[in-house]
Amino acid sequence: VSREDQIEIEYQNEKFQKHISRVYDYLWIAEDGMKTIVLDQGDLGQGASGVNAGTLSLQIKRVQLMPYALKGHSEWEAMGEAVGFKKTGGFTLAFTEHEAELLYERQALKADAGAPITFVSNNALRAAEQNLSHKVLAASYCPEDGYANSSLTGQYYRLRLKENDVQFREKCNVKLITRNSSGFNLTTSCGTVHATRLLLAAGAWLKPIAAHLGVDLPVRARVNTVSVTERMPPLISSIVGHATGLLTMKQKSNGTILIGGGWQGQGVPQDGRGNVTAKTLIPNLSLAQHVLPELSNARVTRSWVGFEANVPDFYPLAGALPGIENAFVLGCVRGGYTIGPYMGRLMGDYILGQEPELPLFDPGREFSEV
Protein backbone atom coordinates (compact mmCIF):
# COMPACT_ATOMS: atom_id res chain seq x y z
CA VAL A 1 0.00 0.00 0.00
CA SER A 2 1.47 3.35 -1.00
CA ARG A 3 1.90 6.16 1.49
CA GLU A 4 -0.79 8.07 -0.40
CA ASP A 5 -3.18 5.20 0.24
CA GLN A 6 -2.35 4.91 3.90
CA ILE A 7 -4.88 5.96 6.46
CA GLU A 8 -4.75 9.67 7.28
CA ILE A 9 -6.21 10.63 10.62
CA GLU A 10 -6.44 14.30 11.39
CA TYR A 11 -7.58 15.63 14.72
CA GLN A 12 -9.54 18.89 14.88
CA ASN A 13 -9.27 18.73 18.62
CA GLU A 14 -6.47 17.22 20.68
CA LYS A 15 -8.98 15.47 22.92
CA PHE A 16 -11.20 12.84 21.44
CA GLN A 17 -12.21 9.27 22.11
CA LYS A 18 -14.10 5.93 21.72
CA HIS A 19 -15.31 3.46 19.28
CA ILE A 20 -12.81 0.87 18.03
CA SER A 21 -12.17 -1.48 20.93
CA ARG A 22 -10.05 -4.32 19.56
CA VAL A 23 -6.39 -3.48 19.09
CA TYR A 24 -4.91 -6.57 17.45
CA ASP A 25 -5.65 -5.43 13.90
CA TYR A 26 -4.31 -1.94 14.56
CA LEU A 27 -0.97 -3.30 15.71
CA TRP A 28 -0.74 -5.42 12.57
CA ILE A 29 -1.47 -2.58 10.17
CA ALA A 30 0.66 -0.12 12.17
CA GLU A 31 3.63 -2.46 11.88
CA ASP A 32 3.19 -2.22 8.11
CA GLY A 33 3.43 1.57 8.22
CA MET A 34 -0.23 2.59 8.21
CA LYS A 35 -1.10 5.48 10.48
CA THR A 36 -3.76 4.39 12.94
CA ILE A 37 -5.64 5.42 16.04
CA VAL A 38 -7.69 3.33 18.47
CA LEU A 39 -10.76 4.90 20.07
CA ASP A 40 -12.44 3.14 23.00
CA GLN A 41 -15.55 3.96 24.98
CA GLY A 42 -13.93 2.51 28.13
CA ASP A 43 -10.47 1.28 29.02
CA LEU A 44 -8.46 -0.84 26.58
CA GLY A 45 -9.19 -4.53 26.90
CA GLN A 46 -11.77 -4.10 29.65
CA GLY A 47 -14.87 -5.07 27.68
CA ALA A 48 -15.41 -8.74 26.84
CA SER A 49 -11.63 -9.25 26.77
CA GLY A 50 -11.25 -8.14 30.39
CA VAL A 51 -14.23 -9.74 32.12
CA ASN A 52 -14.21 -13.28 30.73
CA ALA A 53 -12.72 -16.32 32.45
CA GLY A 54 -9.63 -16.36 30.21
CA THR A 55 -10.07 -19.99 29.15
CA LEU A 56 -8.02 -21.02 26.10
CA SER A 57 -9.52 -24.43 25.36
CA LEU A 58 -9.66 -26.01 21.93
CA GLN A 59 -12.26 -28.46 23.22
CA ILE A 60 -14.97 -25.80 23.44
CA LYS A 61 -14.44 -24.23 20.01
CA ARG A 62 -16.74 -24.77 17.03
CA VAL A 63 -15.44 -27.27 14.51
CA GLN A 64 -15.50 -24.81 11.60
CA LEU A 65 -13.48 -22.30 13.63
CA MET A 66 -10.81 -24.78 14.71
CA PRO A 67 -8.14 -23.59 12.21
CA TYR A 68 -8.57 -20.06 13.62
CA ALA A 69 -8.55 -21.32 17.22
CA LEU A 70 -5.30 -23.22 16.65
CA LYS A 71 -3.67 -20.08 15.23
CA GLY A 72 -5.10 -17.94 18.01
CA HIS A 73 -3.85 -20.33 20.66
CA SER A 74 -0.34 -20.01 19.21
CA GLU A 75 -0.64 -16.22 19.45
CA TRP A 76 -1.43 -16.43 23.18
CA GLU A 77 1.39 -18.88 23.79
CA ALA A 78 3.81 -16.46 22.11
CA MET A 79 2.62 -13.65 24.43
CA GLY A 80 3.55 -15.89 27.36
CA GLU A 81 3.94 -14.63 30.89
CA ALA A 82 3.06 -11.06 29.90
CA VAL A 83 -0.59 -12.15 29.72
CA GLY A 84 -0.34 -14.86 32.37
CA PHE A 85 -0.45 -17.65 29.79
CA LYS A 86 -0.45 -21.17 31.24
CA LYS A 87 -0.64 -24.38 29.22
CA THR A 88 -2.16 -26.82 31.68
CA GLY A 89 -3.94 -29.32 29.47
CA GLY A 90 -7.67 -29.76 29.81
CA PHE A 91 -10.29 -32.42 30.47
CA THR A 92 -13.92 -32.38 29.32
CA LEU A 93 -16.20 -34.70 31.30
CA ALA A 94 -19.46 -36.57 30.77
CA PHE A 95 -21.60 -38.06 33.55
CA THR A 96 -24.53 -39.64 31.67
CA GLU A 97 -24.94 -41.76 28.55
CA HIS A 98 -26.39 -38.78 26.67
CA GLU A 99 -23.49 -36.54 27.71
CA ALA A 100 -21.01 -39.25 26.69
CA GLU A 101 -22.60 -39.45 23.23
CA LEU A 102 -22.29 -35.67 22.90
CA LEU A 103 -18.69 -35.81 24.04
CA TYR A 104 -17.62 -38.54 21.61
CA GLU A 105 -19.44 -36.96 18.68
CA ARG A 106 -18.25 -33.40 19.19
CA GLN A 107 -14.67 -34.09 20.21
CA ALA A 108 -14.12 -36.58 17.39
CA LEU A 109 -15.13 -33.89 14.89
CA LYS A 110 -12.80 -31.37 16.53
CA ALA A 111 -9.95 -33.87 16.49
CA ASP A 112 -10.57 -34.44 12.78
CA ALA A 113 -10.38 -30.64 12.35
CA GLY A 114 -6.87 -30.58 13.81
CA ALA A 115 -7.23 -30.26 17.58
CA PRO A 116 -5.01 -32.77 19.48
CA ILE A 117 -7.95 -34.21 21.44
CA THR A 118 -7.99 -37.81 22.69
CA PHE A 119 -10.35 -39.82 24.88
CA VAL A 120 -8.96 -41.03 28.20
CA SER A 121 -9.88 -43.71 30.69
CA ASN A 122 -11.15 -43.03 34.19
CA ASN A 123 -7.89 -44.38 35.58
CA ALA A 124 -5.89 -41.89 33.52
CA LEU A 125 -8.25 -39.08 34.55
CA ARG A 126 -7.95 -39.90 38.24
CA ALA A 127 -4.20 -40.24 38.03
CA ALA A 128 -4.05 -36.67 36.69
CA GLU A 129 -6.86 -35.10 38.74
CA GLN A 130 -7.62 -37.11 41.87
CA ASN A 131 -10.08 -34.57 43.31
CA LEU A 132 -12.57 -34.76 40.44
CA SER A 133 -15.83 -36.64 40.88
CA HIS A 134 -15.63 -40.45 40.62
CA LYS A 135 -18.95 -40.46 38.75
CA VAL A 136 -17.36 -39.55 35.40
CA LEU A 137 -18.57 -41.79 32.58
CA ALA A 138 -16.33 -40.49 29.77
CA ALA A 139 -13.57 -37.90 29.38
CA SER A 140 -11.56 -36.23 26.64
CA TYR A 141 -8.18 -34.54 26.98
CA CYS A 142 -6.30 -31.84 25.08
CA PRO A 143 -2.69 -31.08 26.08
CA GLU A 144 -2.83 -27.65 24.43
CA ASP A 145 -5.62 -26.28 26.65
CA GLY A 146 -4.81 -23.59 29.16
CA TYR A 147 -5.68 -20.06 30.13
CA ALA A 148 -4.47 -16.48 30.27
CA ASN A 149 -5.15 -13.77 32.81
CA SER A 150 -7.86 -11.66 31.20
CA SER A 151 -7.20 -8.76 33.57
CA LEU A 152 -3.74 -8.40 31.97
CA THR A 153 -5.08 -8.17 28.41
CA GLY A 154 -5.52 -4.41 28.42
CA GLN A 155 -2.13 -3.79 30.04
CA TYR A 156 -0.39 -5.95 27.47
CA TYR A 157 -1.98 -4.29 24.44
CA ARG A 158 -1.58 -0.81 25.92
CA LEU A 159 2.17 -1.46 26.02
CA ARG A 160 2.16 -2.93 22.50
CA LEU A 161 0.33 0.13 21.16
CA LYS A 162 2.84 2.46 22.77
CA GLU A 163 5.78 0.44 21.45
CA ASN A 164 4.37 0.74 17.92
CA ASP A 165 3.50 4.44 18.27
CA VAL A 166 -0.21 3.76 17.79
CA GLN A 167 -2.37 6.57 19.11
CA PHE A 168 -5.23 5.54 21.40
CA ARG A 169 -7.84 7.41 23.38
CA GLU A 170 -10.00 5.95 26.14
CA LYS A 171 -13.21 6.77 28.01
CA CYS A 172 -15.15 8.62 25.33
CA ASN A 173 -18.27 7.75 23.36
CA VAL A 174 -18.88 8.12 19.67
CA LYS A 175 -22.05 10.17 19.28
CA LEU A 176 -22.22 10.35 15.49
CA ILE A 177 -20.42 9.04 12.39
CA THR A 178 -20.91 10.82 9.08
CA ARG A 179 -19.37 10.31 5.64
CA ASN A 180 -17.85 12.91 3.35
CA SER A 181 -15.79 12.91 0.17
CA SER A 182 -12.54 12.22 2.04
CA GLY A 183 -13.73 9.64 4.53
CA PHE A 184 -15.50 9.72 7.87
CA ASN A 185 -16.09 12.25 10.62
CA LEU A 186 -16.53 10.85 14.11
CA THR A 187 -18.18 13.17 16.58
CA THR A 188 -17.22 12.05 20.08
CA SER A 189 -17.70 13.32 23.60
CA CYS A 190 -14.07 14.49 23.52
CA GLY A 191 -13.87 16.10 20.11
CA THR A 192 -13.95 15.23 16.41
CA VAL A 193 -11.86 12.70 14.50
CA HIS A 194 -11.49 12.44 10.72
CA ALA A 195 -10.44 9.11 9.21
CA THR A 196 -9.98 7.86 5.66
CA ARG A 197 -10.71 4.28 6.71
CA LEU A 198 -12.76 2.97 9.57
CA LEU A 199 -12.80 -0.34 11.43
CA LEU A 200 -15.74 -1.06 13.72
CA ALA A 201 -14.72 -3.54 16.43
CA ALA A 202 -17.06 -2.55 19.23
CA GLY A 203 -18.19 -6.01 20.34
CA ALA A 204 -21.68 -6.03 21.80
CA TRP A 205 -22.02 -2.37 20.80
CA LEU A 206 -21.54 -3.07 17.07
CA LYS A 207 -25.21 -2.74 16.16
CA PRO A 208 -25.72 0.90 17.28
CA ILE A 209 -22.28 1.91 15.96
CA ALA A 210 -23.01 0.49 12.49
CA ALA A 211 -26.43 2.14 12.55
CA HIS A 212 -24.67 5.54 12.36
CA LEU A 213 -23.73 4.53 8.81
CA GLY A 214 -27.16 3.17 7.96
CA VAL A 215 -26.12 -0.50 8.27
CA ASP A 216 -28.27 -2.88 10.29
CA LEU A 217 -26.05 -5.66 11.64
CA PRO A 218 -28.00 -8.55 13.26
CA VAL A 219 -25.87 -8.39 16.41
CA ARG A 220 -27.20 -9.57 19.73
CA ALA A 221 -25.49 -10.15 23.06
CA ARG A 222 -25.16 -12.99 25.51
CA VAL A 223 -24.69 -12.05 29.18
CA ASN A 224 -22.18 -14.63 30.42
CA THR A 225 -21.59 -15.21 34.13
CA VAL A 226 -18.20 -15.82 35.75
CA SER A 227 -17.46 -16.51 39.44
CA VAL A 228 -14.31 -16.78 41.53
CA THR A 229 -13.82 -18.52 44.86
CA GLU A 230 -11.63 -17.69 47.81
CA ARG A 231 -8.13 -19.16 47.79
CA MET A 232 -8.14 -22.93 48.17
CA PRO A 233 -5.46 -25.61 48.56
CA PRO A 234 -4.41 -27.20 45.24
CA LEU A 235 -7.43 -29.09 43.88
CA ILE A 236 -7.06 -29.17 40.09
CA SER A 237 -4.11 -28.51 37.81
CA SER A 238 -5.93 -28.69 34.45
CA ILE A 239 -8.71 -26.82 32.71
CA VAL A 240 -11.93 -28.75 33.42
CA GLY A 241 -15.09 -28.57 31.32
CA HIS A 242 -18.41 -30.35 30.88
CA ALA A 243 -19.66 -32.14 27.75
CA THR A 244 -22.63 -29.78 27.46
CA GLY A 245 -20.36 -26.72 27.41
CA LEU A 246 -22.08 -25.42 30.54
CA LEU A 247 -18.94 -25.42 32.68
CA THR A 248 -15.36 -24.22 32.48
CA MET A 249 -13.22 -24.32 35.58
CA LYS A 250 -9.59 -23.67 36.43
CA GLN A 251 -7.50 -23.04 39.54
CA LYS A 252 -5.18 -20.07 39.33
CA SER A 253 -1.69 -19.98 40.81
CA ASN A 254 -3.00 -17.95 43.79
CA GLY A 255 -5.42 -20.77 44.69
CA THR A 256 -8.65 -19.14 43.53
CA ILE A 257 -10.93 -21.16 41.25
CA LEU A 258 -12.62 -19.45 38.27
CA ILE A 259 -15.99 -20.89 37.25
CA GLY A 260 -17.73 -20.11 33.97
CA GLY A 261 -19.83 -21.88 31.39
CA GLY A 262 -21.95 -19.29 29.64
CA TRP A 263 -24.82 -19.16 32.14
CA GLN A 264 -26.85 -16.06 31.40
CA GLY A 265 -27.27 -13.00 33.58
CA GLN A 266 -29.50 -10.04 32.81
CA GLY A 267 -29.02 -6.73 31.04
CA VAL A 268 -28.21 -5.13 27.71
CA PRO A 269 -24.92 -3.54 26.64
CA GLN A 270 -26.36 -0.03 26.44
CA ASP A 271 -27.28 -0.14 30.15
CA GLY A 272 -23.85 -1.05 31.48
CA ARG A 273 -22.28 -4.22 32.81
CA GLY A 274 -25.41 -6.27 33.43
CA ASN A 275 -26.44 -8.24 36.52
CA VAL A 276 -25.85 -11.70 37.95
CA THR A 277 -29.03 -13.65 38.70
CA ALA A 278 -29.46 -16.41 41.28
CA LYS A 279 -31.59 -18.39 38.81
CA THR A 280 -28.52 -19.13 36.67
CA LEU A 281 -25.69 -18.64 39.17
CA ILE A 282 -26.87 -21.43 41.48
CA PRO A 283 -27.01 -24.18 38.82
CA ASN A 284 -23.62 -23.03 37.46
CA LEU A 285 -22.06 -23.41 40.91
CA SER A 286 -23.95 -26.66 41.57
CA LEU A 287 -22.55 -28.18 38.37
CA ALA A 288 -19.05 -27.05 39.36
CA GLN A 289 -19.45 -28.69 42.78
CA HIS A 290 -20.77 -31.87 41.16
CA VAL A 291 -17.59 -32.04 39.07
CA LEU A 292 -15.26 -30.98 41.91
CA PRO A 293 -16.87 -32.01 45.24
CA GLU A 294 -14.24 -30.16 47.33
CA LEU A 295 -15.89 -26.90 46.21
CA SER A 296 -18.47 -27.54 48.93
CA ASN A 297 -15.81 -26.14 51.30
CA ALA A 298 -15.24 -22.98 49.24
CA ARG A 299 -16.87 -19.58 49.40
CA VAL A 300 -17.55 -17.59 46.26
CA THR A 301 -16.03 -14.15 46.68
CA ARG A 302 -17.35 -12.51 43.52
CA SER A 303 -19.58 -13.15 40.51
CA TRP A 304 -19.93 -10.89 37.46
CA VAL A 305 -21.21 -10.85 33.90
CA GLY A 306 -19.79 -9.79 30.55
CA PHE A 307 -21.36 -9.27 27.13
CA GLU A 308 -20.51 -11.62 24.28
CA ALA A 309 -21.67 -10.42 20.85
CA ASN A 310 -22.97 -12.90 18.29
CA VAL A 311 -25.01 -13.10 15.09
CA PRO A 312 -27.65 -15.74 14.24
CA ASP A 313 -25.24 -18.23 12.66
CA PHE A 314 -22.65 -17.77 15.44
CA TYR A 315 -19.79 -17.12 13.03
CA PRO A 316 -17.67 -13.96 13.10
CA LEU A 317 -18.24 -10.70 11.30
CA ALA A 318 -14.92 -9.98 9.61
CA GLY A 319 -14.61 -8.00 6.40
CA ALA A 320 -16.01 -4.99 4.58
CA LEU A 321 -19.03 -3.22 6.08
CA PRO A 322 -21.83 -3.80 3.55
CA GLY A 323 -22.33 -0.88 1.16
CA ILE A 324 -19.82 1.45 2.84
CA GLU A 325 -16.54 2.00 1.03
CA ASN A 326 -13.43 1.97 3.24
CA ALA A 327 -15.38 0.78 6.28
CA PHE A 328 -14.72 -2.59 7.89
CA VAL A 329 -16.10 -4.62 10.76
CA LEU A 330 -14.61 -7.20 13.12
CA GLY A 331 -16.65 -8.80 15.88
CA CYS A 332 -18.94 -11.58 17.06
CA VAL A 333 -16.03 -14.05 17.13
CA ARG A 334 -17.30 -17.12 18.95
CA GLY A 335 -14.53 -18.08 21.35
CA GLY A 336 -13.23 -14.59 20.70
CA TYR A 337 -10.74 -14.47 23.57
CA THR A 338 -8.81 -17.35 22.03
CA ILE A 339 -9.32 -16.45 18.39
CA GLY A 340 -9.28 -12.63 18.58
CA PRO A 341 -5.53 -11.99 18.23
CA TYR A 342 -5.33 -14.09 15.08
CA MET A 343 -8.50 -12.62 13.57
CA GLY A 344 -6.94 -9.21 14.10
CA ARG A 345 -3.96 -10.26 11.99
CA LEU A 346 -6.26 -11.46 9.20
CA MET A 347 -8.19 -8.18 9.26
CA GLY A 348 -4.97 -6.20 9.22
CA ASP A 349 -3.88 -8.03 6.07
CA TYR A 350 -7.28 -7.47 4.49
CA ILE A 351 -7.27 -3.73 5.20
CA LEU A 352 -3.75 -3.52 3.77
CA GLY A 353 -4.99 -5.11 0.55
CA GLN A 354 -3.20 -8.41 1.14
CA GLU A 355 -4.71 -11.89 0.89
CA PRO A 356 -5.50 -13.18 4.39
CA GLU A 357 -3.97 -16.53 5.32
CA LEU A 358 -7.43 -17.95 6.12
CA PRO A 359 -10.81 -16.78 4.77
CA LEU A 360 -12.68 -13.98 6.49
CA PHE A 361 -16.40 -13.97 7.29
CA ASP A 362 -18.44 -11.63 5.05
CA PRO A 363 -20.54 -9.29 7.23
CA GLY A 364 -22.97 -8.96 4.29
CA ARG A 365 -23.82 -12.67 4.08
CA GLU A 366 -27.29 -14.09 4.51
CA PHE A 367 -27.88 -15.13 8.08
CA SER A 368 -29.81 -18.11 9.35
CA GLU A 369 -30.31 -19.52 12.84
CA VAL A 370 -28.24 -22.56 13.82
Side-chain angles (χ1 to χ4, degrees):
V1 178
S2 68
R3 177 63 61 178
E4 290 73 25
D5 276 344
Q6 292 171 356
I7 192 168
E8 294 296 336
I9 297 176
E10 305 166 354
Y11 339 139
Q12 298 177 2
N13 190 315
E14 194 83 86
K15 303 174 182 177
F16 38 37
Q17 212 43 231
K18 160 71 200 142
H19 152 151
I20 306 166
S21 59
R22 281 193 191 275
V23 299
Y24 319 114
D25 9 21
Y26 289 91
L27 286 166
W28 197 238
I29 61 178
E31 288 174 358
D32 204 71
M34 186 175 281
K35 186 178 179 183
T36 65
I37 187 168
V38 180
L39 307 174
D40 200 304
Q41 69 173 344
D43 295 319
L44 289 176
Q46 295 307 302
S49 296
V51 299
N52 74 88
T55 304
L56 303 171
S57 173
L58 298 175
Q59 297 189 72
I60 59 176
K61 300 301 180 286
R62 300 191 73 185
V63 173
Q64 293 87 342
L65 292 178
M66 190 58 67
Y68 304 85
L70 289 165
K71 294 283 189 179
H73 194 278
S74 296
E75 295 275 341
W76 284 105
E77 187 168 8
M79 296 179 216
E81 188 57 37
V83 291
F85 175 83
K86 304 287 184 185
K87 186 190 289 188
T88 62
F91 292 96
T92 301
L93 312 179
F95 292 87
T96 68
E97 292 287 352
H98 175 64
E99 291 171 1
E101 289 177 10
L102 283 178
L103 183 72
Y104 286 123
E105 179 184 350
R106 293 175 178 177
Q107 304 301 50
L109 289 172
K110 293 171 186 179
D112 288 343
I117 298 172
T118 57
F119 297 100
V120 297
S121 68
N122 275 4
N123 287 339
L125 173 64
R126 264 188 271 297
E129 298 289 355
Q130 61 183 4
N131 292 310
L132 293 178
S133 169
H134 289 191
K135 298 178 181 179
V136 174
L137 194 62
S140 61
Y141 178 72
C142 180
E144 293 297 307
D145 285 356
Y147 65 86
N149 186 340
S150 61
S151 64
L152 296 178
T153 305
Q155 297 179 39
Y156 174 80
Y157 278 103
R158 185 187 303 273
L159 179 61
R160 290 287 311 279
L161 289 170
K162 289 180 177 178
E163 289 174 345
N164 287 275
D165 295 321
V166 178
Q167 294 287 320
F168 61 91
R169 299 291 183 270
E170 301 172 280
K171 291 189 173 69
C172 190
N173 293 317
V174 166
K175 298 180 177 181
L176 182 67
I177 304 175
T178 57
R179 301 168 65 190
N180 55 39
S181 58
S182 60
F184 305 90
N185 283 322
L186 284 72
T187 303
T188 82
S189 57
C190 300
T192 301
V193 179
H194 174 76
T196 304
R197 295 178 179 86
L198 193 62
L199 173 64
L200 309 182
W205 288 263
L206 268 175
K207 188 177 183 69
I209 286 292
H212 287 300
L213 295 169
V215 178
D216 183 18
L217 295 176
V219 175
R220 52 201 182 184
R222 290 170 54 82
V223 194
N224 296 327
T225 304
V226 182
S227 299
V228 64
T229 72
E230 63 186 338
R231 297 185 181 193
M232 298 289 290
L235 296 177
I236 51 174
S237 59
S238 309
I239 298 292
V240 177
H242 190 261
T244 60
L246 293 174
L247 178 70
T248 62
M249 187 164 51
K250 67 189 72 69
Q251 187 164 22
K252 306 296 282 293
S253 57
N254 66 359
T256 61
I257 297 176
L258 260 67
I259 302 167
W263 293 79
Q264 296 299 285
Q266 293 180 331
V268 295
Q270 288 70 31
D271 291 342
R273 287 286 190 189
N275 298 304
V276 176
T277 67
K279 182 173 68 174
T280 54
L281 176 63
I282 291 172
N284 187 194
L285 299 178
S286 296
L287 179 57
Q289 185 176 322
H290 178 70
V291 172
L292 183 63
E294 285 292 326
L295 281 178
S296 62
N297 299 316
R299 292 177 296 183
V300 172
T301 59
R302 188 163 69 96
S303 298
W304 65 94
V305 297
F307 295 109
E308 178 190 27
N310 60 80
V311 290
D313 62 9
F314 286 98
Y315 289 107
L317 298 178
L321 191 66
I324 309 295
E325 187 178 1
N326 288 325
F328 309 89
V329 60
L330 173 60
C332 302
V333 182
R334 186 77 171 181
Y337 191 72
T338 301
I339 302 174
Y342 180 66
M343 289 297 297
R345 286 182 175 269
L346 296 183
M347 277 300 300
D349 286 339
Y350 182 71
I351 292 170
L352 287 165
Q354 301 168 7
E355 184 69 26
E357 182 181 33
L358 290 176
L360 294 175
F361 298 84
D362 181 12
R365 66 185 180 271
E366 293 291 328
F367 291 94
S368 59
E369 298 281 349
V370 295

